[in-house]
Amino acid sequence: MSRTFKNTGTKYIVTNQNMLHKLEAAVEDLQMKGNIMLVDGDTAASLDKLVAMGEEIKEDLPKIRIISKTTIAALLSTSGTTGFPKAAQLSHYAIIAMLYQLQHAVQPCYAAGSVSVVFLPMYHMFGLCVVLSLGLVQGLQHVIMSRFYPQEYLKNIANKKANLLHVVPPVMALLANHPMVCQYDLSSVEHIVCGAAPLCPELARKLQNRIGVQCILEGYGMTELGVPFVNTEAHHKLGSVGRKVKLVQSKIVSVETGKELGPNIKGEIWIRGPQIFNGYLNNREATDEMMKEDGWARSGDVGYMDGDGYLFIVDRIKELIKYKGHQIAPAQLDHILLDHPDIADAAVIGIKDEEAGEIPKAFIVRKQGTCITESDAQEFLSLRVAPHMKLRGGVEFIDEIPKSPTGKILRRELQTKDAFVFPTNP
Ligand code: AMP
C-alpha cells in the first residue's frame, strides 16, 4: 500500500471504518494521518459530509484545467505485462471513448431502467467503466454490494428482479453449478456480461440452459487497453471473445519475428484506438515496453482471429495471474518471499484451478542448512498480502530457479506440469 501511495503521490484517502485498519501501516509510514476522510453512516449524510470536507480542503487543491486527452481521470493499479503493480493513467478522453464503444456494443442489453446487482470492485476497469460509468450513462439501476456474498447476491437478484448481471467466470460457475441457486427465482435475468478472465464455453452453455438467459456477453479487456473485443447480442461466437468494438484496430503479431500474421494463426494481440491508456505513472520504461510507435499497444495475450473477425484467446505470455478475475503480480510475491531468512530464491506462477481459474504456486530454493516448510512459507506470505494473493497452489521446493542469462525468471519452464490451460473452443 505504501508503495502505491508513494508512487501516485496520494494526499487524501476516502474510506470507511471497516477498511481503516488496512491502511494503518501505510498511513503511519507516509504521515498522512490528518488526510483520511471517513464516509461511514447512512449514504445521504455521508455524501453531505464528504462534500463539506471537500469544501474545507478546496483551497489546498491545485486548480486544474481539463484537457481531455492529457488530463488523467483515473489511476488504476495493474501489473501490466511484467513486474510490480503500476498505476495505469486513464485520460478523460480514453474513458469517454470506451463508453462510446461499449454503448454501441452492449445495446440493447443496457436498456434504461435495467436492474443490475453489482459486487465487482470499482477500482478495476470492469467495475469502474463497464459497470459504474456505463451504467450511469445508460440509466441503469445498480444494487451495490460491498463484496460478493453468494446467498445475498442470489437473494438480491430475486428480490430486486435484476435483469442484467455483471460477473467474472467463477461466479458464472457458481450460477451454473451450485445447488443453492435453485432456491432463488432468477427468472428475471435476461443478460449476463462476463469479463476479466477466460470463460469456458461449456460453462456459458450450461448456465444459459440452467437459468434461461437471453444472452451472455463476453468482453475481452485490459486495464491499459479498455474493452476492445466484445461478443454482442447480434454478433456472437461461443468460445471467442467477439469482434472489435468501434474505432479499434487490432493485429496479431508473431512473438518471434514481430511480423503481422494472417487469419487463424496464433500470435500476440496488439491493439490501437482512442480508449488506450496514457502510459504508466512515473514508469517510462514499462510504458515503452508495452507501447509501440504509432500508438500500437502490446497486450501480452496470445490469440488468433478467424476469417469472420472473431478473436480467440489461447494463451498469455505476460506474467499476470488471474485469481477469480483479480490480478496478482507474481514478481510482487517473489519479492516478499525473498524477505524470509530461510529462502534463497523464489518464483511464483499461476496454476489451473477449477473454481478460481488460476491460483498462485511458489517454487522455492531453501538456504543451505534451513528447513522452511510449505506451511511456513504460505503463512509468511499470507500475513503480508491481500487474501486473494495467498499461495493457494502450494509450494514446491527445488534446487534452482530457471533464469535467462540476464537474470529474468523463466516462469514458463516452471509451468510444465502445472500450466494454466486456456479453455478451448469445443
Ligand atoms: P486486467 O487488466 O485486470 O483487466 O487484466 C487483463 C487481462 O485479463 C487480459 O490481458 C487477459 O489476460 C485477461 N482477460 C480479460 N478478459 C478476458 C477474456 N474475456 N478472456 C480471456 N482473458 C481475459
Side-chain angles (χ1 to χ4, degrees):
M1 199 88 76
S2 299
R3 193 189 174 87
T4 305
F5 289 159
K6 256 185 225 156
N7 180 33
T8 53
T10 301
K11 293 214 174 76
Y12 294 94
I13 300 170
V14 181
T15 187
N16 60 21
Q17 286 286 357
N18 272 347
M19 301 299 289
L20 205 52
H21 69 282
K22 300 198 173 185
L23 297 168
E24 263 163 21
V27 165
E28 194 75 40
D29 196 17
L30 302 174
Q31 298 173 357
M32 289 173 68
K33 266 213 168 101
N35 300 353
I36 299 181
M37 303 176 186
L38 289 177
V39 291
D40 281 350
D42 80 273
T43 330
S46 330
L47 195 58
D48 284 347
K49 214 164 92 188
L50 189 62
V51 172
M53 283 190 278
E55 287 294 322
E56 273 170 36
I57 60 167
K58 200 161 74 176
E59 294 309 313
D60 302 338
L61 298 175
K63 306 277 173 289
I64 54 159
R65 208 179 116 231
I66 293 181
I67 302 162
S68 67
K69 280 196 178 175
T70 50
T71 306
I72 302 307
L75 291 172
L76 299 187
S77 181
T78 173
S79 64
T81 53
T82 180
F84 282 89
K86 299 171 265 295
Q89 308 178 93
L90 265 62
S91 68
H92 289 261
Y93 180 85
I95 293 182
I96 290 165
M98 197 189 315
L99 295 178
Y100 166 80
Q101 292 166 329
L102 288 169
Q103 218 174 5
H104 281 267
V106 300
Q107 292 206 8
C109 307
Y110 274 52
S114 291
V115 179
S116 173
V117 180
V118 179
F119 62 87
L120 292 167
M122 296 196 186
Y123 55 76
H124 186 266
M125 205 254 302
F126 192 4
L128 179 69
C129 299
V130 185
V131 180
L132 180 67
S133 309
L134 189 59
L136 289 171
V137 171
Q138 294 294 106
L140 303 192
Q141 196 184 324
H142 285 322
V143 178
I144 300 176
M145 298 173 59
S146 60
R147 51 171 298 185
F148 184 67
Y149 300 105
Q151 252 165 317
E152 201 184 315
Y153 182 60
L154 295 168
K155 206 178 343 163
N156 279 334
I157 297 173
N159 291 349
K160 306 285 177 185
K161 303 221 174 314
N163 55 343
L164 172 64
L165 303 183
H166 297 91
V167 299
V168 287
V171 175
M172 292 276 285
L174 180 131
L175 293 172
N177 299 320
H178 204 290
M180 172 175 76
V181 173
C182 305
Q183 296 163 19
Y184 298 88
D185 176 10
L186 305 187
S187 59
S188 56
V189 180
E190 291 168 335
H191 301 108
I192 297 183
V193 179
C194 182
L199 171 66
C200 171
E202 265 315 311
L203 185 62
R205 200 175 284 135
K206 195 169 173 190
L207 178 59
Q208 201 147 14
N209 291 339
R210 186 176 199 197
I211 62 172
V213 287
Q214 223 167 293
C215 169
I216 295 175
L217 303 176
E218 187 185 358
Y220 162 67
M222 182 169 155
T223 308
E224 298 88 334
L225 307 182
V227 187
F229 281 80
V230 179
N231 248 325
T232 67
E233 186 156 22
H235 301 285
H236 206 109
K237 213 178 252 190
L238 204 61
S240 82
V241 291
R243 301 205 301 193
K244 275 184 300 199
V245 298
K246 278 180 181 282
L247 306 176
V248 159
Q249 290 173 282
S250 68
K251 59 182 176 181
I252 304 290
V253 174
S254 161
V255 179
E256 288 81 32
T257 65
K259 293 234 165 70
E260 187 172 347
L261 302 167
N264 298 312
I265 306 176
K266 291 177 205 167
E268 187 179 8
I269 301 154
W270 288 32
I271 302 288
R272 187 158 74 169
Q275 81 293 352
I276 300 246
F277 80 139
N278 286 29
Y280 300 110
L281 181 71
N282 301 328
N283 199 333
R284 187 59 201 260
E285 197 187 334
T287 305
D288 289 348
E289 168 91 0
M290 178 175 185
M291 296 293 299
K292 298 292 152 198
E293 330 67 61
D294 319 329
W296 282 104
R298 296 178 45 199
S299 67
D301 292 312
V302 175
Y304 65 92
M305 194 94 68
D306 74 6
D308 301 325
Y310 286 88
L311 178 68
F312 293 79
I313 314 273
V314 295
D315 200 358
R316 196 185 290 142
I317 44 176
K318 57 187 171 190
E319 291 186 346
L320 179 68
I321 300 171
K322 281 244 141 166
Y323 171 81
K324 295 189 173 177
H326 292 282
Q327 282 205 4
I328 303 174
Q332 191 183 359
L333 304 193
D334 304 345
H335 192 77
I336 295 172
L337 287 170
L338 287 174
D339 277 343
H340 192 289
D342 293 353
I343 294 180
D345 208 354
V348 175
I349 61 163
I351 62 168
K352 186 177 163 56
D353 180 75
E354 272 299 310
E355 195 202 332
E358 293 163 72
I359 48 176
K361 168 176 176 174
F363 288 83
I364 289 180
V365 181
R366 288 189 181 103
K367 276 193 184 152
Q368 253 188 352
T370 63
C371 54
I372 178 172
T373 63
E374 174 168 25
S375 56
D376 293 339
Q378 283 173 314
E379 198 187 324
F380 180 79
L381 192 95
S382 69
L383 291 173
R384 291 163 175 79
V385 293
H388 68 274
M389 297 183 187
K390 288 181 185 177
L391 290 175
R392 292 183 168 80
V395 173
E396 192 170 322
F397 292 95
I398 54 176
D399 294 334
E400 194 182 3
I401 302 288
K403 293 198 178 143
S404 72
T406 57
K408 192 171 166 351
I409 295 173
L410 299 172
R411 294 184 206 269
R412 290 249 145 193
E413 290 193 11
L414 293 168
Q415 266 174 338
T416 44
K417 63 176 180 337
D418 291 319
F420 166 69
V421 183
F422 270 73
T424 48
N425 194 16

